[in-house]
Every structure is written in C-alpha cells, then in structure tokens.
Amino acid sequence: MSTTTQQRHKNVVEAVLGMDPDAVAYVPSNSIAGIINGLIDNAGPDTRVFPVSREEEAVGVIGALPLAGKFGVIVMQDNGFGNALTALTTFATSYHLPVVILANTRGGLGEYNSMIHSISAPVPDILRAANIPVFGLDRRNSPADWQATVTEAGNHARMTYRPVVVLMEFFDFNDKESRA
C-alpha cells in the first residue's frame, strides 16, 4: 500500500521521465528522496540522473543542454533559489533556455526549521519578479494533478524557451509520510 505522498512522488517521476529529458540534475534532499530515487531507478539509458552540489551548478549544467539541442530538468528545494537566482536570470532566462525546475517548498505547515521561511516564503514572488513562470502543487491537488502539472510545465518550458518552476508542497495533514 502506498501513501498519497508516495503516489505523488511516483506521478512526478512518471511526468519527468515522460518529458524524455537528456539529463536530470538534483541537489540531494531527504524531503524529495522519493522523487530522486524514482528517477535514478527508472530513468532509461538515454537519461542521465546525477547529483550536483549547488543549485547554480544545476542551472549551469542543465541550462547548457538546450545550447546543444538537448533538454533537462532540475530537482531541488525552494530555499536553493537564493543560490540559483543569478544563474537563472543572467543565463537561463537571458538566453531563453527551456529548463524545468521542480522544487519542494520549505517553511510552511509542518516545517521544523524555524529559520527556513526567511528565503522560502518569498520565493514565488522573487521568481515572478524575475519573469520566471511559477506553478504550485499542494495537498489540495490529486496525484494525477501533480503529474499533469509537471508534464505541462515541461511543455511550457519547451514552447516558450524559458525556465519554468513547479513548487511542490508535500505537507499533508492526512499523510504521516509527508515531509516539509
């Protein structure tokens, strides 16, 4: 039996792999380990899934793929946008690079780190101010909605030639397995 959170993870993995990315870079995080492990375990031979040490490194590596006719996805936490903002705005956005960024949110309900809200709370507004499209998912969305939104974010990034962010809030009152 799987929990709602596990089903969301599975649907996000299916959506990412359905985009047929050439590479997926992730910043290791226990909060999204289900997605990371699902991508590692299920990626085909033509999709490279690998860790990076920082979010701006992910933007540099994945952002370079479209310059070679390829496509990639980044998986990270939203507090990492503090590190990635310059790379996103001066590279990915300025050069019209289609990149999908999936980021779990921090700082909301169920958050144990009382300092994390300082960067996480303003992330959606910061990204919108930088003209980066942001879409959100939370407990009110079904696992099928999660998959559809991630799929459409990939379509939108490719269609508009720009980075697109999906913020994923996993906290769920009804699922003890969910994490901040």
Side-chain angles (χ1 to χ4, degrees), residues 44-61:
D46 296 329
T47 300
R48 185 158 179 246
V49 180
F50 57 93
V52 292
S53 58
R54 292 177 55 97
E55 295 79 6
E56 67 269 33
E57 177 186 358
V59 173
V61 172

Side-chain angles (χ1 to χ4, degrees), residues 82-155:
N83 296 331
L85 196 57
T86 299
L88 274 170
T89 57
T90 63
F91 180 52
T93 301
S94 294
Y95 288 90
H96 308 282
L97 304 173
V99 173
V100 174
I101 302 173
L102 306 176
N104 70 299
T105 61
R106 300 287 309 267
L109 297 171
E111 177 62 59
Y112 60 88
N113 183 341
S114 63
M115 295 177 286
I116 202 76
H117 69 277
S118 297
I119 183 64
S120 294
V123 160
D125 292 334
I126 292 169
L127 292 172
R128 287 186 185 102
N131 201 27
I132 297 171
V134 179
F135 302 94
L137 294 165
D138 62 25
R139 69 182 182 279
R140 296 169 292 190
N141 302 104
S142 72
D145 290 341
W146 283 56
Q147 185 167 352
T149 300
V150 171
T151 297
E152 285 306 313
N155 293 339

Side-chain angles (χ1 to χ4, degrees), residues 19 21-23 59 61-74 88 91-101 153-165:
M19 291 178 211
D22 296 287
V59 173
V61 172
I62 296 300
L65 291 175
L67 300 173
K70 298 185 181 293
F71 178 73
V73 175
I74 299 169
L88 274 170
F91 180 52
T93 301
S94 294
Y95 288 90
H96 308 282
L97 304 173
V99 173
V100 174
I101 302 173
N155 293 339
H156 193 67
R158 285 177 157 154
M159 179 179 62
T160 62
Y161 295 94
R162 58 197 243 189
V164 174
V165 173

